[in-house]
Amino acid sequence: MATVSTIRNNEPTANASATRVEMKLEVVVIPVSDVDRAKEFYAKLGWRLDTDFTAGDDWRGIQFTPPGSGCSVIFGKNVTKAAPGSAQGLYLAVSDIEATRNDLLRRGIEVSEVFHGSNVHTGQDEPYLFGRLRVSGPDPAHTSYSSFASFHDPDGNGWLLQELTTRLPGRGASNFDVATLTELLRETEKHHGEYEPTAPKHHWSGWYAAYMVARQDGKAPEEAAKEGKRQIEGALAA
């Protein structure tokens, strides 16, 4: 059985007197052989197309962002010397592994069955964080971080869906800085103010939470406001 050691409460791992410098993972570069084929595949996943830049015939860069992600992927022509298909073990955190898998299947993406780990690190299965023996089905206890499904892009770059329901200590909405969170709170306040005059009696916190999570997941303000409404009226009806 593997052992897990976590650093609690964002404890510093270097000189505590040093000034903390933020380093946010922004982009992962994916090596592909056919840029247009890759673009079609990642659009099919439902990811947001951010940019498609060219510089003559010698360079092209395409950026996609998964829904709710603070990190994007870039691929193209002359953006990396890595061999196409050599990017493996790219993890996508999802709140519901079965629902996400079913959504990808509806989009025509070939996805493995859901599996969980065995902490056996020898075997014939494709290696990942929890070993080389993939046990069929979700983790029996549905423990956070412990259920997976995998898929590959047309070049063979390997992605894993990882079900994450409760984060380890020190993890969370870490991609928010003060300015971004302030702006989101003001936006949330505005839309809640539009809902409140006709709303049933409720505490604002539930509406705020549903709205902000929806916005972090990439939904438009109008859709996020609907999520807030559903949260309040669903809770009252329960």
Side-chain angles (χ1 to χ4, degrees), residues 34-228:
D34 185 321
V35 180
D36 287 318
R37 182 180 66 175
K39 180 180 180 181
E40 181 180 355
F41 175 83
Y42 285 98
K44 195 174 182 180
L45 291 177
W47 295 9
R48 185 184 70 229
L49 174 63
D50 299 320
T51 59
D52 185 348
F53 290 145
T54 57
D57 296 328
D58 297 324
W59 184 87
R60 185 178 179 189
I62 296 176
Q63 177 173 305
F64 277 92
T65 302
S69 176
C71 181
S72 303
V73 299
I74 286 180
F75 55 85
K77 182 178 181 181
N78 285 331
V79 298
T80 177
K81 65 177 182 179
S86 61
Q88 301 295 322
L90 302 165
Y91 285 76
L92 296 165
V94 300
S95 60
D96 187 323
I97 192 80
E98 293 284 4
T100 305
R101 179 177 181 272
N102 289 336
D103 177 68
L104 292 178
L105 289 172
R106 283 193 295 269
R107 295 174 182 274
I109 305 300
E110 186 175 340
V111 190
S112 77
E113 296 293 333
V114 176
F115 61 90
H116 62 280
S118 61
N119 286 313
V120 175
H121 296 278
T122 58
Q124 299 302 312
D125 291 344
E126 185 177 351
Y128 73 114
L129 285 176
F130 286 76
R132 295 200 66 164
L133 177 62
R134 300 184 175 194
V135 183
S136 180
D139 176 65
H142 290 277
T143 307
S144 192
Y145 296 96
S146 299
S147 298
F148 302 85
S150 62
F151 66 93
H152 296 81
D153 73 7
D155 283 287
N157 294 303
W159 294 90
L160 289 106
L161 307 173
Q162 182 179 34
E163 188 171 70
L164 197 165
T165 53
T166 303
R167 287 190 176 273
L168 291 171
R171 302 284 289 171
S174 56
N175 57 316
F176 284 141
D177 54 28
V178 172
T180 302
L181 184 55
T182 299
E183 182 179 352
L184 180 56
L185 282 167
R186 287 173 177 165
E187 177 189 305
T188 307
E189 180 184 30
K190 174 180 178 292
H191 285 277
H192 181 255
E194 295 169 352
Y195 169 70
E196 195 167 25
T198 58
K201 185 177 180 181
H202 66 281
H203 196 281
W204 61 268
S205 58
W207 198 98
Y208 269 50
Y211 183 95
M212 293 173 72
V213 168
R215 290 291 280 136
Q216 190 180 30
D217 286 343
K219 294 183 179 178
E222 295 74 17
E223 286 300 314
K226 291 177 183 178
E227 290 293 333

